[in-house]
Amino acid sequence: MLVLNMAYVLRRATLHRSMSMRDVVRVHVARDGMSWPLYAACIGSWQCFVAVYPLLELGCRLFSSASFFYYYPKARGAGLVIEPLSCMSLPGGKRRKHQVRIDWHVVRINVGARGRSGYRHPPTIQRNLLHVDIPSRSVKHWPWRRKKSLVEDLRDVRVKAAQARSRIQTTRMAYVQARADGHAGARAGANAHAHAHAHAHA
């Protein structure tokens, strides 16, 4: 694990040139006001990330990206960030627009009635929830901040899958029928030709 931690620290310091290796270590071991249970959870999550870091980074390289682990002390959580290599030199705010983030921290969710837009109204609750943010696709706090519930989305998927299967079955039946009609036409033509040939020789 020591080698894996050193590899991650070196990689992040190399890509984020504004940070030295000491800075990278500091942001991952500083408690920054987090409670001890939350701090322990963040450290444990970071080490789980480091354990799979080589495989994860190889996968990210296929998409010209890199992976990092972040703490969010004020939001009481942590997260995995996947960032394009082409954005490394941009300021933090501009880099975030191109990132894919898989985070676990406090999220505010409206649980009231749905409005005309499809989104829910207050009251609002706060929970530490796992979620995905993809700013470039206007995805924020998925799947919690959405017009439809997961159950509704799954129902839509099932309906679309059934429709696709029905279209495939219809196309297959039309193809079989067309082949059958073609064979029948060919046999009829052959019989007519044979009949005409027999009359010619009679």
Side-chain angles (χ1 to χ4, degrees):
M1 285 298 292
L2 178 60
V3 174
L4 293 177
N5 276 282
M6 291 178 62
Y8 169 70
V9 169
L10 176 61
R11 173 75 168 161
R12 182 166 178 181
T14 301
L15 293 176
H16 290 169
R17 296 181 180 179
S18 61
M19 301 179 70
S20 66
M21 292 181 66
R22 180 177 295 181
D23 292 332
V24 175
V25 173
R26 182 184 59 78
V27 298
H28 283 85
V29 299
R31 191 159 67 93
D32 285 338
M34 290 187 285
S35 66
W36 282 107
L38 177 60
Y39 177 65
C42 287
I43 290 289
S45 300
W46 174 41
Q47 290 306 293
C48 290
F49 164 80
V50 169
V52 299
Y53 177 68
L55 292 176
L56 179 61
E57 194 68 3
L58 285 174
C60 289
R61 286 289 294 175
L62 296 176
F63 300 94
S64 299
S65 300
S67 56
F68 308 102
F69 196 83
Y70 279 76
Y71 294 168
Y72 309 120
K74 292 183 179 179
R76 304 197 298 274
L80 166 65
V81 175
I82 298 174
E83 185 175 306
L85 294 172
S86 58
C87 299
M88 296 297 169
S89 60
L90 298 176
K94 292 184 177 180
R95 289 208 322 267
R96 280 192 287 273
K97 295 179 181 180
H98 303 279
Q99 294 172 344
V100 174
R101 310 176 75 96
I102 304 173
D103 295 336
W104 176 78
H105 59 69
V106 172
V107 176
R108 294 182 178 181
I109 306 172
N110 289 340
V111 294
R114 293 188 186 276
R116 292 182 179 179
S117 65
Y119 292 101
R120 289 190 179 277
H121 291 303
T124 302
I125 61 173
Q126 296 187 74
R127 294 288 187 275
N128 269 58
L129 297 170
L130 185 68
H131 59 275
V132 177
D133 290 332
I134 311 176
S136 62
R137 300 293 181 87
S138 299
V139 174
K140 184 175 183 180
H141 294 171
W142 184 90
W144 308 108
R145 187 171 295 174
R146 57 198 296 116
K147 290 185 177 181
K148 294 182 178 181
S149 68
L150 285 175
V151 173
E152 291 170 327
D153 276 348
L154 290 173
R155 183 182 60 200
D156 290 345
V157 168
R158 287 197 296 268
V159 169
K160 290 179 180 179
Q163 291 172 343
R165 288 194 297 268
S166 177
R167 287 194 297 269
I168 292 171
Q169 184 66 21
T170 301
T171 302
R172 183 179 299 155
M173 291 175 64
Y175 174 73
V176 171
Q177 185 62 44
R179 288 196 63 183
D181 292 343
H183 287 315
R187 285 194 299 270
N191 290 337
H193 179 74
H195 186 70
H197 185 71
H199 274 289
H201 289 281

